[in-house]
Amino acid sequence: MHFANISHFIKRQILCWRESAVDTQHGNAKRSAFFLVVVISLLSAICSNNSYALQNTIAEKGAPAPPIASPPSYTFSVKSQSADEALTELAKQANTTLLFPFDLAKRVKTNSLVGTFTLSEALQQLLEGTELAVITDELGVLSIRSRASLTAKKASQNKQEEQADNGNALERIAIVGTRNTPRSATDSPVPLDIIGAKSLSSQGNADVLSMLSVMVPSLNVNDQPINDASSLVRPANLRGMSSDHTLLLLNGKRRHRSAVITFLGGGLSDGAQGPDISVIPAYALKQVEVLRDGASAQYGSDAIAGVINFVLKDAKAGGNIALKTGAYGEGDGELFQLQGNRGFAFGDNGFINVTGEYRQQGGTSRSVQRDDAIALTQQGNAFIDNPAQVWGALDVDKDLKFAINTGFKFSPSTQLYGFLTAAKRELSGGFYYRNPQTREGVFSRTNSETGARRLIVADLDGVDSGISCPLITLNDANVLEDPNYLKIADNSTPLGANCFAFNELYPGGFTPSFGGVIEDGSVTLGLKKELPYDWAFDASATVGYSNIDYNISGTVNPSLGPESPTAFDPGGVSQVERTLNLDFTKLIQSVFEDPISIGVGLEWRKETYFQKAGDINSYIAGPFALEPPLGLNEGFAIGSNGFPGYQPQSAGHWSRNNWAMYGDIELFVTESLQFGLASRVEHFSDFGTTFDGKLSTRYKLSDLFAIRGSVNTGFKAPTVGQSNVINVTTAYGENGLEDQATLPPTDMISMQLGATPLQPEESVNFSVGAVLQASDQFFATIDYFNIRLRDRISTTSAIPLTESDINTLIQNGRPDAAKYNAAKYFTNDFDTKTQGIDVVVNYQFMFDEWQNNLLFAYNWTDTQVERVTLYPAVIDGRLQLAPNLTEARIRMLEDNLPAHRGSITLEQRLQSFEFTWRLNYFGSFYEDHLDASAGLDIYGGARFTMDAQFAWQFSKETRLTLGVQNLFNTLPGTNVFKGEVGALYPPTTPGGINGNFFYAGLEYSFE
């Protein structure tokens, strides 16, 4: 864009602002946001490659807006009552949402309404003769306004100003956080984000978890390239808390957690068993409601950081089909996604809404060659892959998702509803590279006393029997050229046929491929009914299921020697949850002007965790297993290398049940002062009873400004999986790769290391904030939060098993202890304080023919570990008390997530064209590279990324979308330890490591 055009652009923006500021009702808001608007509008103009010229060209052409479909009709039955209650009831019966002037609506009495009408006709009849009027803009969007405010508008006000004034008239309404009448984000006494389907789709991400992380700065989701099961189900961290501190709801009903426990969760989520957000089809969503406040007193365990409620589409007619494709700028990560949604009428009073989704996406590689692989190549080993190990996104194959939402009204007072989701996907990725001269238990064995390293050779006819195998010492020389190795590699000789080393099978070493098949489903059935004396009840039953079957290939069970297969089924895990709810609500007239809202209820839930054994080859101790303490005669490790299979003795299922009673009261003491009180008592069969409460308030200082706050206690019960799971994985320790076992606290090995039974985590949360809503077009919120969490459940750092430990365990009947280099267990290990600030600003304005929506969102979060449990330990020959959490692990808890995150989004519309610009900011972070606590400290810098999307509605039915994420290909700083394992960038980098992503989409809509 030339300087003259930029100058002209700013002048026109200022002129537009001055003209629109004539409306005194909105002038203050526009003046307060003016400078921010000019900056973002200028950025938009520059990045859109002379968008100002483009908009004038489009305006001159006068491209018509796409025609609007005929509105559907609904059957209504609404009695004469106050307008706030009547409009809420009408919105429910039409399966839609409305925004109206609440204070005025409370003083207005409506007409009754019975019959079948369009939404516009129903509103006209309901409000006829009252102080409220129904306005329809040129796009067919309905708004409810004060007749007095409409009369007061100046006759000279142009069409663009009127459109800007009504642009936000139809607002999304949230039900999460209350059992009272649904409320808007600015009316809520606690922080609340309401994200519509359009906002979710205005980006290139293909799964709902990644979409939300873009829209909510306090929600962090990192890539998990090589992190065991965490790579398959990525943990999401809201407000700096662990992934299982956020509760998920679907249509307001509690959703089950994933079967996956994140044994390697990047520090913060280590040991967490959170929900799997990615299995929910984004195309099925009407909106997402993110409650950023503790809500255990309302919804029970896990709601410490907040609650995310996914609301399914409920249209009874029409549908859409969408195709999306894309790839990263590096040429990998190819995406193919097909989505469809269709609504069906079920009689005159029911609906069925169906969504299906299919996705495939290739993996990525952001890798360099490892230093040890380079050294092997220089020594003459010509069998090394380059790169030997891949760091990047996993390969997603056959990702299928399905959702149904349905409801039927037998009468105006009785409704049956139900919804279900189902998903299945296959994922695969890489593991750590096995060096053919140093990988213990496969290729080499080190003498703990002398430090000498030898090649492990299987003597097939037995040690001290028949032909003896030569001893081969390993050093920096290429073992493939060692004369003794050449003898055993020559299988045409008796010695070669009798002696075997895995270098014969994998002369360049190997990198296992790890993956799994995830299946997830849930179904809910419920009945809502109005009872006599203004009571109403909602009874529902929900069953949720999560299952993952792991697979690993390109590896061996070393103890089986040459007979080892190279692909294994190491077993799987499942989670089943059953929930029954019975809720009662009532509005009670009192001495206050507004009725008191009361909600009481009961909940019963049963959780069952399953662990399934792997195939026998994945865990069996073969004839060449490690000699001490099993009495066998070689030195090979046991189990499928990288992820040993679950043994039959660790397989089984474990259950617990709990019941809860809860109550909510919400009231307006005065027209401006609102209070909410919630309490919950919950009893768990495995650890007892908890009691929690919440107090929230909102005070309206003026028509523009309100303050709000809450204080609450919360809890998170230890999951059945955390209390019983046994898992072995290969991870980095101080001495390199080692097999680490994660064990329940009641396991003999855990107790040998000092474990005690788990207890619930307990929290005290408070928040205070302010809301500024100058008009329908401008609002801003700022909220401070403080979460103190005691007895946090996590896994310990890896604790080495000494020979004394192993011998003691073997004597007590645990021979499998010999397989582990180190062990971790679940424990209530530390306390934290997390505090932060959330800021949200939303401003809608017109510029010439352009309709603009500006959203600014910012989050600052700081976590400090305040207490760490001390355990007896022998240090320098003395018995001392010391933490098992390392300094690096504590630093990961505090600083792995960026303290500062923010985004500025500008959505622009001109007739059939739409532009979306999003500037993202990720603050600095710390990474303990490889979670090794071995001095591999990375201090990553802050960075900006820019996203852009263009959409063209070129016909009534068809919409074309083109976009790019990370437009300028802003990449993180290069990993200073990239040679260790080949990671080009720090794997936990906020905002990802894959660079820019280009995508295109085509959507077809039908009636």
Side-chain angles (χ1 to χ4, degrees):
M1 174 179 283
H2 296 297
F3 179 80
N5 285 340
I6 295 176
S7 174
H8 189 52
F9 177 84
I10 296 176
K11 289 178 181 178
R12 292 175 66 90
Q13 180 73 7
I14 294 173
L15 180 61
C16 177
W17 168 72
R18 286 178 175 172
E19 292 173 350
S20 62
V22 172
D23 186 347
T24 58
Q25 181 181 1
H26 305 139
N28 292 336
K30 292 180 179 180
R31 279 190 292 272
S32 64
F34 167 64
F35 292 105
L36 184 60
V37 169
V38 171
V39 171
I40 301 303
S41 299
L42 179 59
L43 177 63
S44 168
I46 295 172
C47 294
S48 62
N49 194 17
N50 208 353
S51 64
Y52 175 72
L54 175 62
Q55 67 174 337
N56 280 313
T57 301
I58 296 173
E60 290 169 3
K61 289 183 179 180
I68 299 174
S70 300
S73 297
Y74 307 92
T75 300
F76 296 98
S77 177
V78 182
K79 64 183 181 181
S80 176
Q81 54 191 310
S82 63
D84 60 323
E85 296 178 347
L87 289 169
T88 300
E89 179 60 28
L90 181 141
K92 290 180 180 178
Q93 295 183 17
N95 289 315
T96 189
T97 53
L98 295 171
L99 181 69
F100 49 85
F102 184 75
D103 292 337
L104 177 59
K106 291 194 299 183
R107 301 191 295 269
V108 173
K109 187 173 182 178
T110 67
N111 307 305
S112 61
L113 177 68
V114 178
T116 302
F117 309 94
T118 65
L119 182 59
S120 177
E121 294 169 344
L123 288 169
Q124 294 284 357
Q125 180 169 319
L126 188 75
L127 301 176
E128 184 177 1
T130 70
E131 298 178 39
L132 296 174
V134 183
I135 303 299
T136 306
D137 67 14
E138 64 177 3
L139 299 178
V141 176
L142 300 176
S143 60
I144 301 168
R145 308 288 306 208
S146 163
R147 293 185 190 275
S149 67
L150 295 175
T151 304
K153 285 188 177 292
K154 296 183 178 181
S156 61
Q157 194 171 32
N158 60 35
K159 184 177 182 180
Q160 289 78 14
E161 290 173 319
E162 181 179 345
Q163 186 177 4
D165 187 56
N166 294 325
N168 197 32
L170 195 70
E171 185 182 272
R172 296 174 295 274
I173 302 296
I175 64 170
V176 67
T178 180
R179 291 185 173 87
N180 193 5
T181 302
R183 55 167 63 114
S184 69
T186 53
D187 290 334
S188 173
V190 292
L192 179 64
D193 298 313
I194 306 175
I195 303 168
K198 182 179 178 181
S199 296
L200 290 173
S201 65
S202 62
Q203 51 181 294
N205 290 309
D207 68 276
V208 71
L209 177 59
S210 299
M211 293 176 182
L212 286 177
S213 69
V214 171
M215 305 303 299
V216 183
S218 58
L219 181 68
N220 287 274
V221 182
N222 287 339
D223 291 329
Q224 302 284 336
I226 301 178
N227 250 6
D228 205 40
S230 307
S231 301
L232 308 183
V233 178
R234 294 184 299 160
N237 308 109
L238 181 65
R239 280 191 159 181
M241 307 303 290
S242 178
S243 60
D244 54 3
H245 291 145
T246 301
L247 178 64
L248 257 59
L249 305 177
L250 187 63
N251 280 359
K253 302 299 180 182
R254 184 184 182 104
R255 188 166 173 83
H256 60 280
R257 70 180 80 251
S258 168
V260 169
I261 298 176
T262 54
F263 300 105
L264 300 174
L268 182 60
S269 292
D270 283 351
Q273 188 182 0
D276 186 0
I277 298 176
S278 63
V279 297
I280 299 174
Y283 212 60
L285 297 177
K286 180 179 180 181
Q287 67 184 41
V288 181
E289 303 158 358
V290 183
L291 177 68
R292 293 177 277 112
D293 192 58
S296 293
Q298 296 164 292
Y299 298 105
S301 177
D302 303 351
I304 290 177
V307 180
I308 303 178
N309 182 38
F310 297 92
V311 183
L312 296 175
K313 292 178 180 177
D314 52 12
K316 62 170 61 177
N320 309 82
I321 297 176
L323 174 66
K324 178 185 283 188
T325 185
Y328 286 100
E330 293 284 337
D332 53 10
E334 303 90 345
L335 168 69
F336 174 82
Q337 185 176 44
L338 181 63
Q339 301 167 298
N341 172 266
R342 177 65 194 269
F344 302 90
F346 185 43
D348 294 332
N349 301 312
F351 74 93
I352 300 176
N353 193 277
V354 181
T355 303
E357 179 180 307
Y358 173 81
R359 175 171 71 109
Q360 281 189 314
Q361 187 159 15
T364 64
S365 175
R366 303 295 178 266
S367 314
V368 296
Q369 186 63 302
R370 295 168 47 126
D371 288 346
D372 59 346
I374 293 175
L376 288 170
T377 303
Q378 293 174 345
Q379 293 165 12
N381 191 325
F383 300 94
I384 312 296
D385 291 333
N386 190 3
Q389 179 177 325
V390 173
W391 289 88
L394 273 66
D395 186 84
V396 180
D397 187 28
K398 300 177 183 176
D399 185 5
L400 294 165
K401 301 173 188 174
F402 188 69
I404 296 178
N405 189 27
T406 183
F408 184 81
K409 285 190 174 182
F410 295 99
S411 69
S413 62
T414 305
Q415 178 186 2
L416 181 69
Y417 64 90
F419 48 90
L420 67 85
T421 63
K424 181 178 181 179
R425 72 174 181 269
E426 299 178 13
L427 301 100
S428 61
F431 255 9
Y432 289 107
Y433 169 65
R434 271 61 178 167
N435 186 301
Q437 297 190 192
T438 63
R439 178 62 177 115
E440 290 284 290
V442 182
F443 298 104
S444 69
R445 179 63 63 188
T446 302
N447 187 307
S448 59
E449 296 180 358
T450 65
R453 194 170 73 248
R454 64 180 173 88
L455 183 71
I456 313 178
V457 179
D459 191 333
L460 303 185
D461 63 7
V463 176
D464 299 328
S465 175
I467 301 174
S468 297
C469 298
L471 176 66
I472 302 174
T473 301
L474 294 172
N475 48 42
D476 293 337
N478 182 7
V479 69
L480 301 183
E481 298 176 354
D482 185 283
N484 284 329
Y485 172 77
L486 294 175
K487 291 179 182 179
I488 70 169
D490 184 1
N491 293 325
S492 63
T493 68
L495 186 147
N498 178 63
C499 301
F500 172 80
F502 277 102
N503 304 70
E504 300 177 59
L505 183 62
Y506 295 111
F510 62 95
T511 303
S513 176
F514 176 75
V517 178
I518 295 175
E519 297 175 330
D520 190 284
S522 69
V523 59
T524 296
L525 292 174
L527 177 68
K528 295 181 180 179
K529 185 173 178 59
E530 296 180 9
L531 302 173
Y533 307 104
D534 295 326
W535 281 96
F537 82 84
D538 180 353
S540 64
T542 300
V543 177
Y545 170 73
S546 173
N547 177 79
I548 178 166
D549 291 315
Y550 298 114
N551 58 68
I552 187 168
S553 60
T555 187
V556 293
N557 179 342
S559 68
L560 293 175
E563 300 302 319
S564 173
T566 58
F568 303 87
D569 171 13
V573 289
S574 300
Q575 175 85 8
V576 178
E577 297 184 24
R578 307 165 185 85
T579 306
L580 299 176
N581 284 99
L582 182 60
D583 301 312
F584 293 90
T585 57
K586 179 179 174 63
L587 293 176
I588 299 178
Q589 298 299 327
S590 67
V591 296
F592 304 116
E593 180 179 350
D594 291 320
I596 299 174
S597 171
I598 294 180
V600 295
L602 300 170
E603 181 178 273
W604 175 86
R605 192 168 76 253
K606 183 176 182 179
E607 301 178 52
T608 304
Y609 181 79
F610 297 82
Q611 188 160 288
K612 297 170 287 186
D615 66 70
I616 188 171
N617 289 324
S618 69
Y619 62 80
I620 190 173
F624 308 104
L626 180 64
E627 178 183 355
L630 298 182
L632 301 176
N633 57 19
E634 299 296 345
F636 290 100
I638 301 169
S640 46
N641 194 258
F643 196 96
Y646 296 129
Q647 301 181 52
Q649 57 265 38
S650 66
H653 66 277
W654 303 268
S655 296
R656 72 136 176 256
N657 60 74
N658 66 288
W659 57 263
M661 296 187 297
Y662 47 87
D664 293 348
I665 298 177
E666 296 184 22
L667 71 155
F668 283 85
V669 178
T670 67
E671 183 178 345
S672 301
L673 181 59
Q674 173 187 357
F675 278 102
L677 180 65
S679 62
R680 185 183 187 98
V681 59
E682 193 150 357
H683 177 78
F684 289 80
S685 61
D686 53 353
F687 65 81
T689 303
T690 67
F691 176 83
D692 289 281
K694 179 174 182 176
L695 174 66
S696 60
T697 184
R698 182 179 186 272
Y699 183 65
K700 185 177 178 182
L701 297 172
S702 67
D703 289 340
L704 300 180
F705 192 72
I707 56 176
R708 63 189 182 185
S710 73
V711 59
N712 63 85
T713 61
F715 73 100
K716 193 198 82 67
T719 71
V720 183
Q722 289 171 331
S723 298
N724 296 281
V725 70
I726 297 175
N727 183 75
V728 180
T729 189
T730 303
Y732 261 81
E734 292 185 6
N735 300 315
L737 279 181
E738 61 184 21
D739 290 332
Q740 297 177 357
T742 302
L743 305 168
T746 54
D747 187 273
M748 183 185 298
I749 297 176
S750 302
M751 291 189 291
Q752 175 77 16
L753 298 173
T756 56
L758 292 176
Q759 298 297 322
E761 301 176 345
E762 297 181 347
S763 69
V764 177
N765 303 15
F766 76 85
S767 66
V768 60
V771 178
L772 172 65
Q773 183 162 17
S775 68
D776 288 346
Q777 282 69 49
F778 179 87
F779 75 83
T781 64
I782 180 170
D783 295 277
Y784 167 81
F785 63 90
N786 187 296
I787 306 171
R788 288 184 178 271
L789 187 54
R790 187 177 64 191
D791 293 331
R792 287 187 64 163
I793 298 172
S794 182
T795 56
T796 65
S797 299
I799 304 172
L801 283 169
T802 66
E803 289 189 15
S804 176
D805 289 329
I806 293 173
N807 291 332
T808 299
L809 290 164
I810 292 170
Q811 292 171 8
N812 287 294
R814 285 299 298 272
D816 61 314
K819 297 191 303 180
Y820 314 139
N821 302 104
K824 300 186 290 185
Y825 56 85
F826 291 94
T827 182
N828 299 93
D829 211 23
F830 56 97
D831 302 342
T832 59
K833 181 181 79 171
T834 299
Q835 61 179 337
I837 294 175
D838 289 316
V839 180
V840 176
V841 179
N842 194 306
Y843 178 41
Q844 294 184 343
F845 63 97
M846 295 296 298
F847 176 73
D848 280 353
E849 297 290 332
W850 290 80
Q851 182 177 344
N852 301 276
N853 184 34
L854 178 69
L855 175 65
F856 169 78
Y858 164 78
N859 168 260
W860 165 72
T861 298
D862 175 73
T863 295
Q864 296 295 322
V865 175
E866 295 191 314
R867 182 198 63 82
V868 177
T869 303
L870 301 179
Y871 299 87
V874 177
I875 302 176
D876 296 329
R878 297 175 55 194
L879 184 64
Q880 303 179 36
L881 292 177
N884 67 64
L885 286 183
T886 63
E887 291 184 7
R889 174 77 182 282
I890 292 174
R891 187 73 186 273
M892 286 287 285
L893 289 163
E894 295 179 339
D895 297 328
N896 183 233
L897 297 181
H900 301 275
R901 268 201 65 193
S903 66
I904 302 175
T905 303
L906 178 64
E907 299 173 342
Q908 299 180 295
R909 179 176 180 180
L910 176 65
Q911 298 180 1
S912 59
F913 297 96
E914 294 181 4
F915 294 89
T916 301
W917 313 96
R918 182 177 296 108
L919 181 66
N920 307 292
Y921 174 76
F922 304 91
S924 58
F925 69 101
Y926 164 81
E927 176 181 301
D928 172 27
H929 192 45
L930 309 179
D931 287 329
S933 297
L936 305 180
D937 299 316
I938 296 175
Y939 299 90
R943 66 169 174 158
F944 289 91
T945 63
M946 183 75 183
D947 304 333
Q949 178 175 289
F950 164 73
W952 176 27
Q953 188 80 34
F954 61 85
S955 73
K956 175 183 176 181
E957 300 86 5
T958 312
R959 175 185 177 92
L960 173 68
T961 301
L962 301 173
V964 56
Q965 288 187 297
N966 196 352
L967 175 65
F968 302 111
N969 199 31
T970 305
L971 295 170
T974 301
N975 178 10
V976 294
F977 304 108
K978 61 183 180 181
E980 289 288 331
V981 292
L984 178 59
Y985 306 113
T988 64
T989 299
I993 62 175
N994 287 308
N996 50 12
F997 181 77
F998 299 87
Y999 62 94
L1002 189 65
E1003 184 176 42
Y1004 179 79
S1005 303
F1006 52 90
E1007 298 180 0

